[in-house]
């Protein structure tokens, strides 16, 4: 039985962004749905937003099994298309992928000569044709669909904008996942948008407003890493992780008393991987994260 948007929610779902690390979220959600988990609303950013959209449209078609199949299809297509294979040089710069101060300094100095248009001269986002093929807007906008909220960051104001079912589009999903030094800025209704993780990761207010019994949060970024980084690249890695956690922590501090938080942590699975692995879409890597997500979710009971 599908949810009506007027039903008092028992479970709502929140999915963090994390690029290819979202395969952990894929696995965790797959395990929850397999065990009978239902949700009345889902919020997400970046890869978490794409998973959320696929889960909602799949849920409309065939309940939990439909949601599992739709999300799996997304990740199979991402892997098969090698969507980030042409952006490795930009990736090395973004995350300090060479891993030492001398190499990092060389990359930083060299890239002072370049702008994002030169790093990605054709302004292409390899996710665009894939999402255009997969996205089922009729299902997402169906009256029976779980509520869907996707966050993006307004470049000029720095504020989060949250898009709901009626506003979802390929551009909205691309905006929510737009890393500005790698992908072209996405313009919607005359406003420019970047990755939603900068301002909300993901936005919780819309799913908490109806006073749900449970908020199930699937993280796609490690909260903690052992040791203090010393190299420039590692310091940058950790700063970025902390910055992307801050908006979520601020919203969790306002969690209603009656709403129970069930959190699926990615620390054990992801803390061993550098941020550069966020763009690793090789099937073996994704399958390992998928398995780790399923294992992490196995210990969570949602009646």
């Amino acid at each position: 039985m599908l949810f009506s948007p007027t039903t008092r929610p028992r479970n709502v779902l929140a999915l963090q962004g994390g690029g290819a690390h979202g395969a952990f979220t894929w696995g965790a959600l797959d395990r929850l749905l397999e065990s009978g988990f239902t949700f009345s609303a889902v919020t997400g950013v970046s890869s978490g937003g794409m998973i959320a959209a696929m889960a909602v449209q799949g849920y409309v078609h065939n309940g939990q099994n439909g949601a599992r199949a739709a999300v799996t299809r997304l990740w199979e297509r991402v892997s098969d298309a090698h969507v980030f294979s042409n952006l490795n040089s930009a990736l090395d710069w973004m995350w300090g992928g060479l891993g030492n101060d001398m190499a990092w300094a060389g990359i930083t100095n060299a890239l002072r000569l370049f702008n994002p248009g030169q790093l990605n001269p054709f302004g292409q986002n390899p996710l665009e044709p894939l999402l255009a093929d997969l996205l089922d807007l009729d299902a997402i906008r169906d009256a029976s669909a779980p509520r869907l909220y996707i966050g993006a960051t307004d470049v000029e104001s720095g504020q989060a904008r949250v898009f709901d079912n009626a506003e979802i589009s390929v551009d909205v999903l691309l905006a929510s996942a737009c890393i500005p030094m790698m992908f072209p800025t996405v313009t919607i209704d005359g406003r420019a948008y970047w990755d939603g993780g900068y301002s909300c990761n993901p936005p919780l207010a819309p799913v908490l407003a109806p006073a749900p019994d449970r908020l199930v949060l699937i993280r796609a970024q490690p909260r903690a890493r052992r040791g203090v980084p010393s190299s420039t690249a590692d310091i940058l890695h950790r700063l970025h992780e902390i910055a992307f956690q801050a908006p979520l922590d601020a919203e969790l501090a306002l969690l209603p008393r009656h709403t129970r938080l069930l959190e699926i942590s990615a620390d054990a699975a992801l803390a061993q991987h550098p941020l550069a692995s966020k763009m690793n879409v090789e099937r073996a890597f994704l399958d390992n994260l998928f398995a780790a997500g399923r294992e992490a979710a196995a210990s969570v009971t949602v009646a």
Side-chain angles (χ1 to χ4, degrees):
M1 178 177 178
L2 299 181
F3 278 102
S4 164
T6 60
T7 302
R8 175 178 171 80
R10 293 190 67 191
N11 301 319
V12 296
L13 188 60
L15 308 180
Q16 270 196 324
H21 290 177
F24 175 89
T25 302
W26 166 33
L29 181 57
D30 188 77
R31 177 65 178 82
L32 291 176
L33 292 168
E34 182 183 60
S35 67
F37 175 73
T38 58
F39 59 95
S40 61
V42 55
T43 179
V45 298
S46 194
S47 61
M50 296 176 197
I51 293 171
M54 294 300 113
V56 166
Q57 70 184 45
Y59 204 96
V60 169
H61 288 303
N62 191 27
Q64 289 101 324
N65 288 336
R68 293 176 68 198
V71 177
T72 296
R73 189 157 51 247
L74 167 68
W75 286 97
E76 288 175 344
R77 291 286 301 274
V78 165
S79 178
D80 291 346
H82 304 288
V83 292
F84 301 126
S85 59
N86 293 326
L87 295 171
N88 286 338
S89 60
L91 177 64
D92 285 341
W93 169 71
M94 278 286 295
W95 307 124
L98 296 183
N100 61 70
D101 283 335
M102 185 175 296
W104 173 250
I107 294 171
T108 302
N109 290 332
L111 283 164
R112 287 177 181 152
L113 303 174
F114 298 95
N115 60 44
Q118 290 169 302
L119 291 174
N120 187 355
F122 300 106
Q124 295 176 334
N125 190 320
L127 291 168
E128 184 172 6
L130 184 152
L131 291 173
D133 188 44
L134 290 177
L135 197 61
D136 183 348
L137 295 179
D138 288 338
I140 286 173
R141 295 169 184 172
D142 191 271
S144 68
R147 300 299 85 195
L148 172 62
Y149 303 99
I150 304 295
T153 302
D154 186 299
V155 176
E156 294 180 85
S157 71
Q159 300 299 307
R161 176 173 174 183
V162 182
F163 299 85
D164 63 17
N165 296 61
E167 300 170 299
I168 299 303
S169 66
V170 170
D171 279 348
V172 166
L173 296 181
L174 293 178
S176 183
C178 178
I179 300 173
M181 290 303 294
M182 295 182 65
F183 303 124
T185 299
V186 180
T187 301
I188 301 171
D189 300 330
R191 303 294 298 180
Y193 292 97
W194 286 343
D195 195 299
Y198 296 114
S199 58
C200 55
N201 195 20
L204 298 184
V207 297
L208 294 179
D213 293 332
R214 302 178 189 86
L215 169 66
V216 179
L217 168 64
I218 304 178
R219 293 185 179 271
Q221 297 177 353
R223 282 179 58 85
R225 285 184 182 270
R226 292 195 175 190
V228 178
S230 57
S231 73
T232 303
D234 289 342
I235 290 170
L236 183 65
H237 291 174
R238 187 60 183 143
L239 283 173
H240 193 90
E241 285 182 335
I242 292 170
F244 265 43
Q245 297 293 346
L248 176 60
D249 288 343
E251 289 203 79
L252 285 175
L254 303 176
L255 191 73
R257 288 184 181 179
H258 60 270
T259 298
R260 181 185 176 198
L261 174 64
L262 296 177
E263 182 176 333
I264 299 176
S265 172
D267 283 24
L270 297 179
Q272 60 184 308
H273 299 295
L275 281 177
S277 65
K278 282 186 172 187
M279 294 309 216
N280 182 356
V281 293
E282 294 184 7
R283 188 56 191 262
F285 180 72
L286 299 180
D287 285 347
N288 284 339
L289 290 185
F290 172 79
R294 282 185 56 88
E295 181 179 357
S299 61
V300 175
T301 301
V302 181

